[in-house]
Amino acid sequence: EGNNQTNLELNHQKFDMLISKLNDSLKPLLWLGNGLRGISPAELRQIIVKLKIPYLTSWTANDLIDPVEDLYAGHAGTYGSRVGNLMLQSSDFILALGTRLAIPQKGYVDKELAREATIYVVEIDEKELNKLSDRFQNKFRCDARYFIREIYNNSNKLKNNFSFWLEHLKNLKEKYPNLENFHKLSQDSDLINSYQFMSKLGSEAPLNTTFITDMGTALISAFQILNPQKGQKLFSSQGLGEMGYGLPGAIGAWFANSNREIICLNCDGGIMMNLQDLQTVIHNKIPMKI
């Protein structure tokens, strides 16, 4: 890390311009993606706390770190939270690190994305950078892990005074919690709301739990409501979003680490597509929950 060709574009002039733009901003936002895996969760969390800048995560980066509550804005995009999307669309500076800004994140019309913001994108793959539209002019071909460490190493140059923006985030989270009142059913109700159920499941699950989701409600409600922390993991097939992934994915997670608690979140259509894999569960005596 730090000395290979993926970091050649990190020249002082471009980097200093980014720092200057960040200092000029009033409403900056970090967008953390799966490309940041490889940094230990403790180190990454230390960096985020030091920078004191609100941050979003892509879905695949949902379990990167224990959430920093006063900085974490959740997810944005077509399946994002109200808070995440309001923060994104109100921001004036965005630094996307290791996320490829797929359509479910940025939407279909790039010119409508964060209209007031200067957007910087850090991406290791030149072909992925070239896919981006003219809305994304400020691009670094660089390892996101190296880049965020450089931001941290230059944190003494940052003004670190975004108190108005942080207060705005706090107010939004109080006004628009992920689990809203209409999700909550009375104790004597015969019905179950999936969001309320997922919230309870996440808080009660052991810290060594790996959640694997299929598509549909299993995916949407899990990734909106579950808040993995202290070692919990949350996986899905997000490249193709194919129904039927949940059960074989959960089997694979158990073979990867049989010491973890495996919880498979599935839907009626997805479970039927690979229902025969229950025989694999039985044959190998896999103690998963479905």
Side-chain angles (χ1 to χ4, degrees):
E1 288 176 42
N3 59 1
N4 60 43
Q5 70 177 46
T6 60
N7 301 319
L8 287 178
E9 278 201 40
L10 193 56
N11 62 60
H12 292 295
Q13 185 176 2
K14 285 182 69 175
F15 189 79
D16 288 347
M17 178 64 72
L18 182 147
I19 296 294
S20 176
K21 281 283 188 183
L22 179 53
N23 281 332
D24 288 341
S25 74
L26 297 174
K27 300 178 290 184
L29 200 58
L30 303 177
W31 210 341
L32 310 183
N34 210 37
L36 288 169
R37 293 203 188 272
I39 297 182
S40 75
E43 180 189 357
L44 183 56
R45 197 174 194 278
Q46 178 185 3
I47 292 172
I48 299 302
V49 169
K50 175 71 173 178
L51 297 180
K52 297 179 183 175
I53 298 172
Y55 70 98
L56 299 165
T57 56
S58 68
W59 276 13
T60 48
N62 196 60
D63 56 3
L64 269 181
I65 59 173
D66 293 349
V68 183
E69 288 302 335
D70 57 340
L71 299 176
Y72 188 38
H75 306 305
T78 55
Y79 299 124
S81 65
R82 286 209 253 186
V83 173
N85 280 312
L86 285 168
M87 289 291 288
L88 176 69
Q89 291 302 97
S90 301
S91 64
D92 62 7
F93 176 96
I94 296 169
L95 175 57
L97 291 150
T99 174
R100 290 185 168 158
L101 299 174
I103 287 172
Q105 282 182 269
K106 66 181 179 63
Y108 289 90
V109 185
D110 288 350
K111 67 180 181 181
E112 294 293 319
L113 177 69
R115 292 181 293 273
E116 299 176 12
T118 301
I119 302 176
Y120 284 84
V121 180
V122 179
E123 163 65 54
I124 200 168
D125 189 328
E126 189 171 10
K127 290 183 179 179
E128 293 292 334
L129 282 176
N130 292 338
K131 289 179 184 178
L132 296 172
S133 72
D134 293 341
R135 177 70 182 90
F136 306 94
Q137 294 286 332
N138 305 296
K139 298 182 284 192
F140 289 87
R141 180 173 176 248
C142 183
D143 187 319
R145 300 169 299 176
Y146 174 83
F147 198 96
I148 199 169
R149 284 172 174 147
E150 283 301 293
I151 296 282
Y152 179 74
N153 292 337
N154 286 271
S155 58
N156 61 312
K157 299 178 183 178
L158 299 178
K159 65 182 183 182
N160 274 344
N161 183 21
F162 306 112
S163 54
F164 151 76
W165 189 225
L166 292 173
E167 187 66 21
H168 180 61
L169 172 60
K170 179 182 176 183
N171 291 337
L172 284 178
K173 290 173 81 168
E174 289 175 355
K175 187 175 182 180
Y176 302 116
N178 282 343
L179 190 69
E180 300 196 45
N181 285 331
F182 60 78
H183 294 130
K184 300 173 183 177
L185 302 173
S186 63
Q187 294 278 357
D188 56 356
S189 174
D190 293 331
L191 304 175
I192 297 175
N193 181 284
S194 61
Y195 283 79
Q196 187 177 22
F197 174 81
M198 291 288 190
S199 177
K200 187 71 171 176
L201 179 66
S203 63
E204 296 290 335
L207 299 182
N208 71 332
T209 297
T210 298
F211 297 97
I212 310 289
T213 86
D214 209 278
M215 303 306 119
T217 303
L219 171 75
I220 302 303
S221 55
F223 275 82
Q224 285 191 343
I225 294 296
L226 284 178
N227 217 4
Q229 44 194 318
K230 297 182 179 178
Q232 291 180 337
K233 295 293 181 184
L234 178 57
F235 288 99
S236 192
S237 173
Q238 296 184 336
L240 297 174
E242 71 279 14
M243 292 171 64
Y245 171 85
L247 184 54
I251 292 170
W254 182 81
F255 275 105
N257 189 341
S258 60
N259 293 317
R260 293 185 64 83
E261 181 82 33
I262 306 297
I263 297 181
C264 175
L265 303 172
N266 225 306
C267 293
D268 53 354
I271 193 75
M272 289 303 295
M273 288 191 165
N274 282 308
L275 192 66
Q276 71 280 358
D277 281 346
L278 284 176
Q279 183 59 50
T280 303
V281 175
I282 295 167
H283 180 80
N284 291 282
K285 296 182 173 63
I286 300 174
M288 70 167 67
K289 313 287 191 301
I290 302 177

